mmCIF file of all heavy atoms in Angstrom:
data_model
loop_
_atom_site.group_PDB
_atom_site.id
_atom_site.type_symbol
_atom_site.label_atom_id
_atom_site.label_comp_id
_atom_site.label_asym_id
_atom_site.label_seq_id
_atom_site.Cartn_x
_atom_site.Cartn_y
_atom_site.Cartn_z
ATOM 1 N N VAL A 1395 -39.140 -53.089 -90.413
ATOM 2 C CA VAL A 1395 -37.768 -52.638 -90.731
ATOM 3 C C VAL A 1395 -37.361 -53.073 -92.124
ATOM 4 O O VAL A 1395 -36.632 -52.326 -92.798
ATOM 5 C CB VAL A 1395 -36.783 -53.195 -89.714
ATOM 6 C CG1 VAL A 1395 -35.322 -53.045 -90.166
ATOM 7 C CG2 VAL A 1395 -36.932 -52.463 -88.325
ATOM 8 N N GLY A 1396 -37.752 -54.242 -92.554
ATOM 9 C CA GLY A 1396 -37.272 -54.779 -93.824
ATOM 10 C C GLY A 1396 -36.323 -55.912 -93.703
ATOM 11 O O GLY A 1396 -35.582 -56.258 -94.637
ATOM 12 N N TYR A 1397 -36.336 -56.516 -92.518
ATOM 13 C CA TYR A 1397 -35.445 -57.711 -92.262
ATOM 14 C C TYR A 1397 -35.867 -58.917 -93.155
ATOM 15 O O TYR A 1397 -37.030 -58.993 -93.532
ATOM 16 C CB TYR A 1397 -35.619 -58.223 -90.853
ATOM 17 C CG TYR A 1397 -35.059 -57.336 -89.769
ATOM 18 C CD1 TYR A 1397 -35.849 -56.802 -88.770
ATOM 19 C CD2 TYR A 1397 -33.714 -57.049 -89.677
ATOM 20 C CE1 TYR A 1397 -35.420 -55.999 -87.746
ATOM 21 C CE2 TYR A 1397 -33.200 -56.281 -88.638
ATOM 22 C CZ TYR A 1397 -34.067 -55.784 -87.682
ATOM 23 O OH TYR A 1397 -33.519 -54.963 -86.713
ATOM 24 N N TYR A 1398 -34.909 -59.718 -93.503
ATOM 25 C CA TYR A 1398 -35.250 -60.982 -94.191
ATOM 26 C C TYR A 1398 -35.952 -61.931 -93.176
ATOM 27 O O TYR A 1398 -36.987 -62.516 -93.498
ATOM 28 C CB TYR A 1398 -33.941 -61.701 -94.680
ATOM 29 C CG TYR A 1398 -34.099 -63.092 -95.111
ATOM 30 C CD1 TYR A 1398 -34.917 -63.389 -96.264
ATOM 31 C CD2 TYR A 1398 -33.548 -64.117 -94.435
ATOM 32 C CE1 TYR A 1398 -35.052 -64.746 -96.660
ATOM 33 C CE2 TYR A 1398 -33.728 -65.486 -94.803
ATOM 34 C CZ TYR A 1398 -34.470 -65.772 -95.941
ATOM 35 O OH TYR A 1398 -34.629 -67.036 -96.327
ATOM 36 N N SER A 1399 -35.445 -62.010 -91.985
ATOM 37 C CA SER A 1399 -36.084 -62.880 -90.981
ATOM 38 C C SER A 1399 -35.676 -62.350 -89.576
ATOM 39 O O SER A 1399 -34.724 -61.655 -89.376
ATOM 40 C CB SER A 1399 -35.635 -64.331 -91.139
ATOM 41 O OG SER A 1399 -34.259 -64.495 -90.863
ATOM 42 N N LEU A 1400 -36.547 -62.766 -88.618
ATOM 43 C CA LEU A 1400 -36.237 -62.500 -87.214
ATOM 44 C C LEU A 1400 -35.976 -63.870 -86.552
ATOM 45 O O LEU A 1400 -36.847 -64.769 -86.593
ATOM 46 C CB LEU A 1400 -37.474 -61.861 -86.512
ATOM 47 C CG LEU A 1400 -37.876 -60.496 -86.989
ATOM 48 C CD1 LEU A 1400 -39.108 -60.073 -86.269
ATOM 49 C CD2 LEU A 1400 -36.774 -59.435 -86.682
ATOM 50 N N GLU A 1401 -34.831 -64.063 -85.939
ATOM 51 C CA GLU A 1401 -34.582 -65.283 -85.172
ATOM 52 C C GLU A 1401 -35.155 -65.048 -83.793
ATOM 53 O O GLU A 1401 -34.698 -64.220 -83.046
ATOM 54 C CB GLU A 1401 -33.035 -65.583 -85.069
ATOM 55 C CG GLU A 1401 -32.830 -66.972 -84.570
ATOM 56 C CD GLU A 1401 -31.369 -67.230 -84.155
ATOM 57 O OE1 GLU A 1401 -30.715 -66.237 -83.628
ATOM 58 O OE2 GLU A 1401 -30.904 -68.375 -84.242
ATOM 59 N N VAL A 1402 -36.193 -65.868 -83.511
ATOM 60 C CA VAL A 1402 -36.969 -65.626 -82.267
ATOM 61 C C VAL A 1402 -37.045 -66.797 -81.349
ATOM 62 O O VAL A 1402 -37.579 -66.664 -80.187
ATOM 63 C CB VAL A 1402 -38.389 -65.134 -82.601
ATOM 64 C CG1 VAL A 1402 -38.387 -63.861 -83.382
ATOM 65 C CG2 VAL A 1402 -39.162 -66.241 -83.321
ATOM 66 N N TRP A 1403 -36.630 -67.951 -81.747
ATOM 67 C CA TRP A 1403 -36.968 -69.184 -80.971
ATOM 68 C C TRP A 1403 -35.814 -70.147 -81.197
ATOM 69 O O TRP A 1403 -34.954 -70.024 -81.980
ATOM 70 C CB TRP A 1403 -38.239 -69.705 -81.507
ATOM 71 C CG TRP A 1403 -39.120 -70.367 -80.467
ATOM 72 C CD1 TRP A 1403 -39.615 -69.786 -79.367
ATOM 73 C CD2 TRP A 1403 -39.679 -71.659 -80.524
ATOM 74 N NE1 TRP A 1403 -40.442 -70.640 -78.664
ATOM 75 C CE2 TRP A 1403 -40.505 -71.824 -79.417
ATOM 76 C CE3 TRP A 1403 -39.572 -72.719 -81.426
ATOM 77 C CZ2 TRP A 1403 -41.166 -72.973 -79.064
ATOM 78 C CZ3 TRP A 1403 -40.284 -73.938 -81.070
ATOM 79 C CH2 TRP A 1403 -41.062 -74.024 -79.965
ATOM 80 N N GLY A 1404 -35.921 -71.245 -80.371
ATOM 81 C CA GLY A 1404 -34.889 -72.323 -80.410
ATOM 82 C C GLY A 1404 -33.634 -71.915 -79.608
ATOM 83 O O GLY A 1404 -33.718 -71.067 -78.791
ATOM 84 N N GLY A 1405 -32.560 -72.627 -79.876
ATOM 85 C CA GLY A 1405 -31.356 -72.449 -79.073
ATOM 86 C C GLY A 1405 -31.747 -72.700 -77.650
ATOM 87 O O GLY A 1405 -32.362 -73.657 -77.302
ATOM 88 N N ALA A 1406 -31.398 -71.769 -76.746
ATOM 89 C CA ALA A 1406 -31.718 -71.915 -75.254
ATOM 90 C C ALA A 1406 -32.960 -71.261 -74.841
ATOM 91 O O ALA A 1406 -33.307 -71.266 -73.691
ATOM 92 C CB ALA A 1406 -30.530 -71.373 -74.488
ATOM 93 N N THR A 1407 -33.774 -70.623 -75.818
ATOM 94 C CA THR A 1407 -34.953 -69.845 -75.412
ATOM 95 C C THR A 1407 -35.981 -70.789 -74.784
ATOM 96 O O THR A 1407 -36.599 -70.437 -73.818
ATOM 97 C CB THR A 1407 -35.587 -69.152 -76.597
ATOM 98 O OG1 THR A 1407 -35.913 -70.123 -77.605
ATOM 99 C CG2 THR A 1407 -34.685 -68.112 -77.189
ATOM 100 N N PHE A 1408 -36.145 -71.980 -75.303
ATOM 101 C CA PHE A 1408 -37.144 -72.911 -74.808
ATOM 102 C C PHE A 1408 -36.878 -73.307 -73.364
ATOM 103 O O PHE A 1408 -37.723 -73.211 -72.496
ATOM 104 C CB PHE A 1408 -37.136 -74.162 -75.747
ATOM 105 C CG PHE A 1408 -38.383 -74.987 -75.641
ATOM 106 C CD1 PHE A 1408 -39.314 -74.973 -76.616
ATOM 107 C CD2 PHE A 1408 -38.605 -75.922 -74.612
ATOM 108 C CE1 PHE A 1408 -40.443 -75.735 -76.617
ATOM 109 C CE2 PHE A 1408 -39.692 -76.714 -74.590
ATOM 110 C CZ PHE A 1408 -40.662 -76.613 -75.579
ATOM 111 N N ASP A 1409 -35.617 -73.730 -73.149
ATOM 112 C CA ASP A 1409 -35.171 -74.152 -71.784
ATOM 113 C C ASP A 1409 -35.299 -73.001 -70.778
ATOM 114 O O ASP A 1409 -35.802 -73.105 -69.707
ATOM 115 C CB ASP A 1409 -33.744 -74.677 -71.889
ATOM 116 C CG ASP A 1409 -33.211 -75.236 -70.633
ATOM 117 O OD1 ASP A 1409 -34.017 -75.486 -69.736
ATOM 118 O OD2 ASP A 1409 -32.017 -75.431 -70.477
ATOM 119 N N ALA A 1410 -34.819 -71.788 -71.179
ATOM 120 C CA ALA A 1410 -34.801 -70.640 -70.305
ATOM 121 C C ALA A 1410 -36.251 -70.264 -69.907
ATOM 122 O O ALA A 1410 -36.519 -69.861 -68.802
ATOM 123 C CB ALA A 1410 -34.129 -69.440 -70.957
ATOM 124 N N CYS A 1411 -37.217 -70.340 -70.842
ATOM 125 C CA CYS A 1411 -38.565 -69.974 -70.592
ATOM 126 C C CYS A 1411 -39.160 -70.814 -69.426
ATOM 127 O O CYS A 1411 -39.718 -70.250 -68.449
ATOM 128 C CB CYS A 1411 -39.460 -70.209 -71.813
ATOM 129 S SG CYS A 1411 -39.443 -68.853 -72.941
ATOM 130 N N ILE A 1412 -38.964 -72.142 -69.477
ATOM 131 C CA ILE A 1412 -39.581 -72.956 -68.401
ATOM 132 C C ILE A 1412 -38.699 -73.050 -67.178
ATOM 133 O O ILE A 1412 -39.186 -73.198 -66.094
ATOM 134 C CB ILE A 1412 -39.945 -74.385 -68.955
ATOM 135 C CG1 ILE A 1412 -38.696 -75.111 -69.508
ATOM 136 C CG2 ILE A 1412 -40.997 -74.312 -69.991
ATOM 137 C CD1 ILE A 1412 -38.998 -76.523 -69.929
ATOM 138 N N ARG A 1413 -37.405 -72.927 -67.300
ATOM 139 C CA ARG A 1413 -36.497 -73.093 -66.168
ATOM 140 C C ARG A 1413 -36.354 -71.808 -65.333
ATOM 141 O O ARG A 1413 -36.296 -71.891 -64.122
ATOM 142 C CB ARG A 1413 -35.071 -73.438 -66.680
ATOM 143 C CG ARG A 1413 -34.103 -73.875 -65.544
ATOM 144 C CD ARG A 1413 -32.653 -73.968 -66.100
ATOM 145 N NE ARG A 1413 -32.534 -74.967 -67.091
ATOM 146 C CZ ARG A 1413 -32.008 -76.214 -66.849
ATOM 147 N NH1 ARG A 1413 -31.640 -76.509 -65.667
ATOM 148 N NH2 ARG A 1413 -31.902 -77.065 -67.846
ATOM 149 N N PHE A 1414 -36.290 -70.657 -66.017
ATOM 150 C CA PHE A 1414 -36.090 -69.394 -65.292
ATOM 151 C C PHE A 1414 -37.184 -68.358 -65.303
ATOM 152 O O PHE A 1414 -37.289 -67.582 -64.383
ATOM 153 C CB PHE A 1414 -34.823 -68.727 -65.819
ATOM 154 C CG PHE A 1414 -33.547 -69.581 -65.810
ATOM 155 C CD1 PHE A 1414 -32.962 -70.007 -66.932
ATOM 156 C CD2 PHE A 1414 -33.003 -69.971 -64.547
ATOM 157 C CE1 PHE A 1414 -31.803 -70.810 -66.934
ATOM 158 C CE2 PHE A 1414 -31.873 -70.724 -64.513
ATOM 159 C CZ PHE A 1414 -31.273 -71.178 -65.718
ATOM 160 N N LEU A 1415 -37.977 -68.397 -66.368
ATOM 161 C CA LEU A 1415 -38.927 -67.299 -66.573
ATOM 162 C C LEU A 1415 -40.345 -67.686 -66.227
ATOM 163 O O LEU A 1415 -41.275 -66.789 -66.323
ATOM 164 C CB LEU A 1415 -38.874 -66.749 -68.009
ATOM 165 C CG LEU A 1415 -37.439 -66.314 -68.498
ATOM 166 C CD1 LEU A 1415 -37.485 -65.892 -69.995
ATOM 167 C CD2 LEU A 1415 -36.928 -65.169 -67.637
ATOM 168 N N ASN A 1416 -40.619 -68.933 -66.019
ATOM 169 C CA ASN A 1416 -41.971 -69.465 -65.777
ATOM 170 C C ASN A 1416 -42.954 -69.021 -66.943
ATOM 171 O O ASN A 1416 -44.035 -68.548 -66.749
ATOM 172 C CB ASN A 1416 -42.555 -68.930 -64.466
ATOM 173 C CG ASN A 1416 -43.804 -69.721 -63.995
ATOM 174 O OD1 ASN A 1416 -43.899 -70.906 -64.287
ATOM 175 N ND2 ASN A 1416 -44.720 -69.026 -63.371
ATOM 176 N N GLU A 1417 -42.453 -69.191 -68.147
ATOM 177 C CA GLU A 1417 -43.230 -68.879 -69.357
ATOM 178 C C GLU A 1417 -43.344 -70.191 -70.245
ATOM 179 O O GLU A 1417 -42.468 -70.996 -70.204
ATOM 180 C CB GLU A 1417 -42.513 -67.812 -70.185
ATOM 181 C CG GLU A 1417 -42.487 -66.449 -69.546
ATOM 182 C CD GLU A 1417 -41.925 -65.414 -70.510
ATOM 183 O OE1 GLU A 1417 -41.625 -65.738 -71.725
ATOM 184 O OE2 GLU A 1417 -41.704 -64.276 -70.085
ATOM 185 N N ASP A 1418 -44.482 -70.161 -70.968
ATOM 186 C CA ASP A 1418 -44.631 -71.301 -71.895
ATOM 187 C C ASP A 1418 -44.002 -70.877 -73.249
ATOM 188 O O ASP A 1418 -44.367 -69.925 -73.827
ATOM 189 C CB ASP A 1418 -46.181 -71.524 -72.175
ATOM 190 C CG ASP A 1418 -46.474 -72.676 -73.042
ATOM 191 O OD1 ASP A 1418 -45.582 -73.026 -73.871
ATOM 192 O OD2 ASP A 1418 -47.495 -73.328 -72.885
ATOM 193 N N PRO A 1419 -42.963 -71.569 -73.647
ATOM 194 C CA PRO A 1419 -42.226 -71.197 -74.894
ATOM 195 C C PRO A 1419 -43.128 -71.242 -76.160
ATOM 196 O O PRO A 1419 -42.900 -70.501 -77.075
ATOM 197 C CB PRO A 1419 -41.019 -72.160 -74.951
ATOM 198 C CG PRO A 1419 -41.425 -73.353 -74.024
ATOM 199 C CD PRO A 1419 -42.303 -72.744 -73.017
ATOM 200 N N TRP A 1420 -43.991 -72.178 -76.140
ATOM 201 C CA TRP A 1420 -44.931 -72.293 -77.293
ATOM 202 C C TRP A 1420 -45.840 -71.058 -77.346
ATOM 203 O O TRP A 1420 -46.163 -70.536 -78.428
ATOM 204 C CB TRP A 1420 -45.769 -73.575 -77.161
ATOM 205 C CG TRP A 1420 -45.005 -74.811 -77.256
ATOM 206 C CD1 TRP A 1420 -44.612 -75.599 -76.256
ATOM 207 C CD2 TRP A 1420 -44.481 -75.420 -78.474
ATOM 208 N NE1 TRP A 1420 -43.913 -76.694 -76.719
ATOM 209 C CE2 TRP A 1420 -43.805 -76.603 -78.090
ATOM 210 C CE3 TRP A 1420 -44.527 -75.067 -79.854
ATOM 211 C CZ2 TRP A 1420 -43.173 -77.453 -79.045
ATOM 212 C CZ3 TRP A 1420 -43.927 -75.909 -80.726
ATOM 213 C CH2 TRP A 1420 -43.235 -77.081 -80.377
ATOM 214 N N GLU A 1421 -46.279 -70.614 -76.174
ATOM 215 C CA GLU A 1421 -47.175 -69.454 -76.072
ATOM 216 C C GLU A 1421 -46.400 -68.244 -76.571
ATOM 217 O O GLU A 1421 -46.920 -67.362 -77.214
ATOM 218 C CB GLU A 1421 -47.684 -69.261 -74.698
ATOM 219 C CG GLU A 1421 -48.687 -68.121 -74.530
ATOM 220 C CD GLU A 1421 -49.839 -68.162 -75.531
ATOM 221 O OE1 GLU A 1421 -50.418 -69.256 -75.782
ATOM 222 O OE2 GLU A 1421 -50.102 -67.101 -76.124
ATOM 223 N N ARG A 1422 -45.115 -68.084 -76.196
ATOM 224 C CA ARG A 1422 -44.206 -67.021 -76.714
ATOM 225 C C ARG A 1422 -44.242 -67.025 -78.190
ATOM 226 O O ARG A 1422 -44.391 -65.961 -78.851
ATOM 227 C CB ARG A 1422 -42.807 -67.152 -76.150
ATOM 228 C CG ARG A 1422 -41.854 -66.121 -76.802
ATOM 229 C CD ARG A 1422 -40.433 -66.224 -76.317
ATOM 230 N NE ARG A 1422 -40.265 -65.808 -74.991
ATOM 231 C CZ ARG A 1422 -39.103 -65.456 -74.422
ATOM 232 N NH1 ARG A 1422 -38.021 -65.505 -75.109
ATOM 233 N NH2 ARG A 1422 -39.047 -65.090 -73.149
ATOM 234 N N LEU A 1423 -44.034 -68.179 -78.780
ATOM 235 C CA LEU A 1423 -43.913 -68.220 -80.240
ATOM 236 C C LEU A 1423 -45.238 -67.782 -80.926
ATOM 237 O O LEU A 1423 -45.243 -67.023 -81.840
ATOM 238 C CB LEU A 1423 -43.562 -69.679 -80.682
ATOM 239 C CG LEU A 1423 -43.582 -69.918 -82.187
ATOM 240 C CD1 LEU A 1423 -42.634 -68.989 -82.961
ATOM 241 C CD2 LEU A 1423 -43.171 -71.417 -82.429
ATOM 242 N N ARG A 1424 -46.300 -68.270 -80.365
ATOM 243 C CA ARG A 1424 -47.656 -67.926 -80.870
ATOM 244 C C ARG A 1424 -47.912 -66.421 -80.788
ATOM 245 O O ARG A 1424 -48.464 -65.776 -81.647
ATOM 246 C CB ARG A 1424 -48.790 -68.666 -80.194
ATOM 247 C CG ARG A 1424 -48.823 -70.122 -80.596
ATOM 248 C CD ARG A 1424 -50.038 -70.846 -80.080
ATOM 249 N NE ARG A 1424 -50.042 -71.061 -78.616
ATOM 250 C CZ ARG A 1424 -49.593 -72.088 -78.023
ATOM 251 N NH1 ARG A 1424 -49.050 -73.140 -78.760
ATOM 252 N NH2 ARG A 1424 -49.602 -72.255 -76.711
ATOM 253 N N ALA A 1425 -47.497 -65.826 -79.652
ATOM 254 C CA ALA A 1425 -47.654 -64.379 -79.389
ATOM 255 C C ALA A 1425 -46.869 -63.607 -80.377
ATOM 256 O O ALA A 1425 -47.283 -62.528 -80.866
ATOM 257 C CB ALA A 1425 -47.346 -64.047 -77.978
ATOM 258 N N ILE A 1426 -45.654 -64.042 -80.663
ATOM 259 C CA ILE A 1426 -44.782 -63.305 -81.625
ATOM 260 C C ILE A 1426 -45.370 -63.403 -83.006
ATOM 261 O O ILE A 1426 -45.480 -62.394 -83.747
ATOM 262 C CB ILE A 1426 -43.365 -63.902 -81.569
ATOM 263 C CG1 ILE A 1426 -42.663 -63.560 -80.229
ATOM 264 C CG2 ILE A 1426 -42.509 -63.336 -82.767
ATOM 265 C CD1 ILE A 1426 -41.290 -64.252 -80.070
ATOM 266 N N ARG A 1427 -45.842 -64.628 -83.412
ATOM 267 C CA ARG A 1427 -46.364 -64.835 -84.729
ATOM 268 C C ARG A 1427 -47.573 -63.961 -84.992
ATOM 269 O O ARG A 1427 -47.822 -63.439 -86.053
ATOM 270 C CB ARG A 1427 -46.710 -66.309 -84.899
ATOM 271 C CG ARG A 1427 -47.334 -66.668 -86.256
ATOM 272 C CD ARG A 1427 -46.339 -66.782 -87.389
ATOM 273 N NE ARG A 1427 -45.887 -65.478 -87.967
ATOM 274 C CZ ARG A 1427 -44.926 -65.355 -88.857
ATOM 275 N NH1 ARG A 1427 -44.271 -66.444 -89.335
ATOM 276 N NH2 ARG A 1427 -44.599 -64.186 -89.333
ATOM 277 N N ALA A 1428 -48.401 -63.791 -83.923
ATOM 278 C CA ALA A 1428 -49.614 -63.011 -84.023
ATOM 279 C C ALA A 1428 -49.326 -61.580 -84.318
ATOM 280 O O ALA A 1428 -50.167 -60.867 -84.946
ATOM 281 C CB ALA A 1428 -50.468 -63.064 -82.776
ATOM 282 N N ARG A 1429 -48.155 -61.128 -83.967
ATOM 283 C CA ARG A 1429 -47.796 -59.669 -84.179
ATOM 284 C C ARG A 1429 -46.880 -59.391 -85.364
ATOM 285 O O ARG A 1429 -46.751 -58.312 -85.852
ATOM 286 C CB ARG A 1429 -47.104 -59.118 -82.895
ATOM 287 C CG ARG A 1429 -48.107 -58.962 -81.729
ATOM 288 C CD ARG A 1429 -47.407 -58.878 -80.382
ATOM 289 N NE ARG A 1429 -48.370 -58.682 -79.290
ATOM 290 C CZ ARG A 1429 -49.139 -59.677 -78.751
ATOM 291 N NH1 ARG A 1429 -49.070 -60.883 -79.226
ATOM 292 N NH2 ARG A 1429 -49.953 -59.366 -77.775
ATOM 293 N N VAL A 1430 -46.171 -60.486 -85.822
ATOM 294 C CA VAL A 1430 -45.273 -60.291 -86.945
ATOM 295 C C VAL A 1430 -45.962 -60.865 -88.201
ATOM 296 O O VAL A 1430 -46.163 -62.057 -88.380
ATOM 297 C CB VAL A 1430 -43.950 -61.046 -86.710
ATOM 298 C CG1 VAL A 1430 -43.000 -60.947 -87.891
ATOM 299 C CG2 VAL A 1430 -43.222 -60.488 -85.463
ATOM 300 N N LYS A 1431 -46.341 -59.931 -89.096
ATOM 301 C CA LYS A 1431 -47.183 -60.287 -90.269
ATOM 302 C C LYS A 1431 -46.378 -60.399 -91.502
ATOM 303 O O LYS A 1431 -46.753 -61.124 -92.460
ATOM 304 C CB LYS A 1431 -48.239 -59.214 -90.444
ATOM 305 C CG LYS A 1431 -49.050 -58.814 -89.216
ATOM 306 C CD LYS A 1431 -50.055 -59.905 -88.809
ATOM 307 C CE LYS A 1431 -50.982 -59.426 -87.699
ATOM 308 N NZ LYS A 1431 -51.779 -60.494 -87.171
ATOM 309 N N LYS A 1432 -45.292 -59.663 -91.587
ATOM 310 C CA LYS A 1432 -44.558 -59.572 -92.918
ATOM 311 C C LYS A 1432 -43.262 -60.326 -92.957
ATOM 312 O O LYS A 1432 -42.782 -60.687 -93.992
ATOM 313 C CB LYS A 1432 -44.225 -58.035 -93.182
ATOM 314 C CG LYS A 1432 -45.406 -57.117 -93.169
ATOM 315 C CD LYS A 1432 -44.910 -55.684 -93.308
ATOM 316 C CE LYS A 1432 -46.034 -54.707 -93.171
ATOM 317 N NZ LYS A 1432 -45.603 -53.315 -93.120
#
């Protein structure tokens, strides 16, 4: 798109991943980074 940045992590995302979604927040971050190159 041409964004300066994407806010993708922190805040309540970490807590929500393990408390409600049964997801590893670190794995989410790595998966996002693998797809966002620019």
Side-chain angles (χ1 to χ4, degrees):
V1395 165
Y1397 292 118
Y1398 167 67
S1399 67
L1400 296 174
E1401 191 193 34
V1402 299
W1403 215 57
T1407 58
F1408 199 102
D1409 187 13
C1411 275
I1412 58 175
R1413 189 191 298 259
F1414 303 114
L1415 305 177
N1416 194 34
E1417 290 185 9
D1418 184 333
W1420 295 101
E1421 185 50 46
R1422 171 182 290 197
L1423 175 56
R1424 288 189 287 270
I1426 292 172
R1427 180 75 282 174
R1429 289 160 178 78
V1430 178
K1431 312 286 189 187
K1432 305 173 185 175

